[in-house]
Amino acid sequence: MSQPNRLTRGGRIDRSRKLSFTFNGKPYQGHAGDTLASALLANGVDIVNRSFKYSRPRGIVAAGAEEPNAVVQLGKCEAGQVPNVRATQQALYDGLEARSTNGWPNVQRDLMSVIGKLGGKFMPPGFYYKTFMAPASMWMTYEKYIRKSAGLGRSPTEPDPDIYDHMNQHCDVLVIGAGPAGLAAALAAARSGARVIVADEQEEMGGSLLDSRELLDDQPAEQWVAEALQALADMDNVTLLPRTTANGYHDHNFVTLHERRTEHLADTAPLKNGRRQVRARMHRVRAGRVVLATGAHERPLVYGNNDVPGNLLAGAVSTYIRRYGVVPGKKLVLSISNDHAYRAALDWAESGREVVAIADARANPTGELVEQARAKSIRIITGSAVIEAKGDNRVSGARVAKIDAEGFRIVGDVTTLDCDTIASSGGYSPVIHLASHTGSRPTWRDDLLGFVPNLVKGVVAAGGAHGVYATAEVLADGVAAGAHAAEEVDCKAAEVRLPQVAARDDGEACALYQVPHEKPTLRAPKQFVDLQNDVTAAGIELATREGFESIEHVKRYTAMGFGTDQGKLGNINGMAIAARCLGRTIPEVGTTVFRPNYTPVTFGAIVGRHCRELFDPERYTALHQWHVENGAEFEDVGQWKRPWYYPRSVNGKVETMHEAVARECLAVRQRVGILDASTLGKIDIQGPDAREFLGRVYTNKWAKLAAGRVRYGLMCKDDGMLMDDGTTSCLGDNHFLMTTTTGGAAGVMEWLELWHQTEWPELEVYFTSVTDHWATMTVTGPDARKLLSEVTDINLDKDQFKFMDWREGKVAGVPARVFRISFTGELAYEINVQANYAMHVWKMLFQHGEKYHLTPYGTETMHVLRAEKGLIIAGQDTDGSVTPEDLGMQWAVGYDKPFSWIGKRALTRPDTKRSDRKQLVGLKPKDPKVVLEEGAQIVFDPSHAIPMPMVGHVTSSYYSAILGHGIALAVVKGGHHKMGETVYLPMADGQVHEAKIVSNVFYDSEGERLHA
C-alpha cells in the first residue's frame, strides 16, 4: 500500500513498523511515530472534513493543537467513540478507525456544499438571528434540520468501557511546555532542588527542536533534547508528563493537566495483568510557581480561497517534512512576511520537490535563510503576496501580486503560478490562552505585532510565550525563568550550561500581521480568518458596519474564536481586520477572552472515577441491614437509602404500599411506632458567638435559649424565601446541635460556611457535620413513654421532660441524647446514640416493644402523619418562592430582632406583602375516596375558557387512614382568606375534582396528643 507523499528517509518515524488504519472507511498505512494527520498527508488524502457553516472541502493546515480543520470522529465500536479529536494530536496506532465529522452523504460529495456556494449571500454573519422567524409554525421543522447539520461530531450512545483517574499533585515549579524554553527552565529549576513537573501536549517532548535545522553543540538539536530529557528523567524530583495538555489555569497557581495515557494505543485502553489500564488522567496541580513555556502559534495570511486543501502553515510544512518524512505536495508557493518561514522552502527543496516561488511581502528581505534560498536558485518575488488560491478540492495555482503593505492595496500586476501547495506565514502569536484564564488581559507589543501575557503573581513566561523566538535566546530565557521560579520557592540557584547554537536561522520574527488582499465582499472569493467557524474577512467587515464595535460582540456575531479552536490561528488577523474597519489600532480593539479548556477534554477525563455507582454514592444508615432483613422497600432521599415502607405478607398476599402505609399510620396513632431518622442533617455548632450567628441565619430569636431546650427555626435565603427548617438544641452556653432536612444538609452546611467566611468572619463560631456520627431513632405514639421508660435511666415524667426539651442519659446501656420533639403530632422521643451502637439499641427497643406492638414505619408513613398535622417539608411544600408568612408561620419570625437576619429586608418588599400571594392551605376533597395528584393545578372557575387562570397547586397529597379521607396541602393565591371556599382541579383525563380550602392542620388541632 503506497504512501505517495512519504519520503524514503528522514523524520522521526519508525519505518520498520507499519500500522494499518482506516479513514472514512478506506484502508491506509502509516508508521509508528506518525500522527493521524501526517499519515493522511503521506497517503495523499486532501479532503479531511467539510467546513462547519458552508460545507466547503477542508484539508490539514497545521501540525499541532492549532489545527482547525482535521477534527475527526475516532473509534471503531460505539462504546469507544470519541468526537472532536484533532488528527494532528492523535498518535497513529494499528487498527485506528477515524471519520470526518461533517459531510453528507460523504466528505467528498457533500450535498450541503450547494448551500455553501450560496452562503455569502444567504448565510452572512448573524443569519441565524435574521432567518427562520416566520412562519413561526414551521420552527419545529427548521429546528430538526438545523440540529442535524450542527455540531462537530457525534456523542457515543453506549457506556464508556474505559476508566479514568484524577490525581492531586503538588510541586515547587510547574513547567508548561517542553520545547527549548521549557526544557531549559526545567533543568534550571530541577538542579536547584525544586520539585518539578513538566507537561507537554505532544507525543514527544522537544517542541520546535524536533524539526529544527539548527545544531546545538555541533549536534542535531534533537540530540540535545534527548540528553536533556534523560537528565530530567534521572532526577527523583522531576515528573515528566508527555501527551499532557494544561487545559485550565485557575487562581493561586492551580492548574488542571489532561494526560492522555493510552489514547495512542487503541480505541479503548488495553488490558494489563487482566485489568484495564487507565485511558486518561486529570492532574489537579497546585504549584508554588508556574513557568509558561507554551511557545507561539504561526499566523496564517488571509487571501482568497485560503481554505482550499493544499493551503498550509509554513511551519507545518517543515514539521511534516523533517519530523514525519512527509512532503504534502509536489510544487510549493510560499507567501510570507518573515525570515524564519524560509525554512519551509529550504526543507521542500531538499526533499527533492519544486519550490515554484517565495512571495515575500517585504521589499528587501535579508538574512541567512534568505541567502540560503537564493543560493539554491529559488525564485523570490519581493514586495508581493499570494492574493488568491486557485482550485476547488485541491490547490491548483496561486495568484500573486505586488502589494502596498502600508495601505493594504494591490499595486502591481497579478501573476498566476502553477502549484499544488501554498504555505503562508504572517509571523507568530505567543500562546496566551492559559495566562488569560486567570482573568488578566494580555498586553500588545508593537515590536512583535502580537499580544503577550499579562502575568499574575507566581507566574513567569519563557521563550515564544512572551515573544522570544531565536533559539539561543529562547534557551537562555528558559534557564532564567526556571532559576527565578526556583528561587521564589526558596531553592538554591544552580548553574545550567547552555548549548552553543551553531547557526541562528530564526531571523526576523515577523513584520506583518495581515497580507493586503482584494477588497472582501460577500460575493468575492472567500478570505477566511477563522477556518473552523467559517468566519471571513468580509463577515468581520459586515459585523462592524452593522454596529458591532466591541471585539467580544464581533466574536459572538460572527462566531470568530468559538468552538474547539479558541482563536488559536485567526484571532490576531480578525482583530486586525476589525481594527482597520473601525479606524482603530489593534490594542484599542483588544482581544477576546479565552476560557478553559485549551483543547477539548473528554467527559470521561473530567468525571474520572466519579461515575456509575461512584457518581452519586449510596449512603446507608447504621440500621440499613435490619431494614433489608425485615423486607423494607427503599426510596432515595438525597444520597440516602431510606426505608419507604415495610410490606407484610398477610394470608400469603403481600401488602400494597397503600395497605402497608395505612397499617403503619394507625400503629403510630393508636400504639407506638419507630422510625430510622438517622439521615437528618446534624451540624455541631460551637463558639462564643454561636448564639449570635444562629440569630442571624434563623428568622426567630436564639439569645435566651437555655441549655436542655430545643427550638424550631426557619432559615431563609437573602430574598426572603424559605430554604430549610429544622430544630436546634442548646447543648451548652456556646454549644448547639442543628438539624436539617435530609436532602438539604449539605446545602445548609455550605450556606453557614459561606456567610461566616464572607460576611461575618469576625464571629468566632465553628461548624462540624456530625450526620454520620449519630444514629437517630424516633419512638412515637401514645405508648412511646411506656416503652422508652423500660430501657432508659432518664426521667420521662411529662412535667420533668416537656415537649421541646432534651436530656442526656443512657438508653439500653448506651450513652444517648434524647429529644422530645415530634414530626407526627404524637408523643415522640428522638434517641441519638453513637452510630456504632445503633443496632444494639434498635434491637433492644424491639425486644421490649413487642408487648406494645412496636411497628417500624417508613418515610411514606412519616409524610402522611406530618401532613395530617399540617407540617411542611422544605423542598416539597416549598419551591424557593414561598416566605414564612406564605406558610402562615409568622409565629416563627422575630420581626423585632436587633440584627437583620438573612431575608428580613426582603420580606418588607411590596411583592412579598401582596395579599394574593400563594399561601399554604389544606384541601379536603369533596369525594373522600379521592387522593389529589401532587402538582395538580388549581383553578377557581373550571368553566373559564382555556387557558384557565391557574391559582395554585397541590404540594402534598395522601389518604389518611385515621381520618378516613384524602387530605392535601396546597399553595393557593390568597388562600389564608379563602377558608371554606371550593376550588377545582382539572385533570388530564377530563375529570374535574372539587376540594374545600380548610386549615392545613387536619388532626388534633389543639395539640393535646403532642403534649401528652
Side-chain angles (χ1 to χ4, degrees), residues 776-824:
T776 302
M777 293 155 273
T778 300
V779 180
T780 183
D783 292 333
R785 183 180 288 113
K786 294 177 184 178
L787 170 58
L788 185 57
S789 65
E790 295 186 14
V791 294
T792 184
D793 59 1
I794 299 173
N795 184 354
L796 302 181
D797 181 81
K798 68 176 183 178
D799 294 324
Q800 298 298 317
F801 195 174
K802 300 178 180 179
F803 179 61
M804 299 300 276
D805 280 349
W806 78 272
R807 296 290 182 266
E808 202 163 32
K810 288 186 177 181
V811 176
V814 175
R817 292 172 181 163
V818 178
F819 303 82
R820 190 179 166 187
I821 51 183
S822 177
F823 197 50
T824 62

Side-chain angles (χ1 to χ4, degrees), residues 397-510:
R399 296 179 69 219
V400 178
K402 289 283 185 181
I403 59 168
D404 173 10
E406 296 297 326
F408 295 95
R409 291 179 290 111
I410 296 173
V411 295
D413 294 335
V414 177
T415 302
T416 301
L417 302 177
D418 181 42
C419 65
D420 64 2
T421 306
I422 299 173
S424 70
S425 176
Y428 297 86
S429 300
V431 177
I432 59 174
H433 296 67
L434 285 175
S436 299
H437 290 176
T438 63
S440 61
R441 288 285 187 170
T443 303
W444 176 261
R445 280 179 52 181
D446 284 324
D447 59 328
L448 297 175
L449 292 177
F451 286 97
V452 295
N454 184 14
L455 301 175
V456 296
K457 183 179 179 181
V459 188
V460 60
H466 68 158
V468 177
Y469 299 130
T471 302
E473 296 175 9
V474 167
L475 290 167
D477 196 44
V479 168
H484 177 72
E487 288 173 358
E488 287 202 331
V489 291
D490 297 327
C491 292
K492 187 177 180 181
E495 183 177 349
V496 176
R497 190 188 73 81
L498 292 172
Q500 295 296 314
V501 181
R504 175 179 172 177
D505 68 5
D506 298 76
E508 191 174 356
C510 63

Side-chain angles (χ1 to χ4, degrees), residues 203-236:
E203 294 293 313
E204 292 184 276
M205 291 184 169
S208 62
L209 295 180
L210 296 179
D211 55 63
S212 175
R213 299 172 58 85
E214 295 177 295
L215 298 178
L216 275 64
D217 287 340
D218 297 323
Q219 294 180 329
E222 58 190 292
Q223 181 61 36
W224 181 86
V225 171
E227 293 172 358
L229 288 173
Q230 187 60 54
L232 291 168
D234 290 340
M235 299 183 195
D236 294 336

Side-chain angles (χ1 to χ4, degrees), residues 29 166 372 946:
Q29 280 191 340
H166 285 177
Q372 288 183 30
I946 296 176

Side-chain angles (χ1 to χ4, degrees), residues 12-29:
R12 298 178 60 79
I13 59 171
D14 183 356
R15 286 181 168 77
S16 67
R17 293 176 55 200
K18 289 187 177 181
L19 304 176
S20 298
F21 71 101
T22 65
F23 182 66
N24 288 331
K26 187 175 180 180
Y28 298 98
Q29 280 191 340

Side-chain angles (χ1 to χ4, degrees), residues 302 514 517 520-521 526-530 535-542 577 580-581:
V302 178
Q514 170 70 28
H517 44 68
T521 66
K526 290 183 172 57
Q527 302 153 4
F528 285 92
V529 177
D530 184 325
V535 179
T536 64
I540 294 173
E541 292 196 2
L542 178 63
I577 294 170
R580 189 178 66 206
C581 295

